[in-house]
Amino acid sequence: MQKTICKKVYDTATSELVKKVTVGEYGNPEGYEESLYKTESGNFFLYTNGGASSKYPKEDIVRMGADKAKAWLKDHE
């Protein structure tokens, strides 16, 4: 997935996957995944996707600052 935010392109195909967290099993309408990525220029973003009843019913990309990315990693150890 690719999304432009504030004139910066965030692309899961060209960025480094740092960590992926999956909640629920495939096909579970409440299940979802969060994947933290780092771009070549050092920017972080979270790719989210989930079932129709999850907190991420549509796939999306949300940019994250370095401090927030570190906090997310710590929360998902």
Side-chain angles (χ1 to χ4, degrees):
M1 177 180 187
Q2 185 182 78
K3 184 174 181 179
T4 302
I5 304 170
C6 296
K7 299 182 182 181
K8 291 185 181 179
V9 177
Y10 297 87
D11 189 347
T12 57
T14 59
S15 299
E16 174 190 355
L17 176 62
V18 177
K19 182 167 181 125
K20 181 177 182 176
V21 175
T22 303
V23 175
E25 298 195 17
Y26 182 77
N28 179 345
E30 295 177 354
Y32 63 89
E33 67 182 32
E34 296 177 328
S35 302
L36 181 66
Y37 285 87
K38 184 177 182 181
T39 67
E40 190 175 295
S41 59
N43 297 311
F44 290 94
F45 66 92
L46 194 65
Y47 166 79
T48 59
N49 194 18
S53 300
S54 74
K55 64 181 185 176
Y56 303 116
K58 293 182 185 177
E59 69 177 338
D60 197 10
I61 288 178
V62 179
R63 66 183 178 153
M64 297 179 88
D67 290 340
K68 192 169 182 180
K70 287 178 188 177
W72 184 91
L73 280 170
K74 186 175 180 179
D75 289 344
H76 294 89
E77 289 182 327

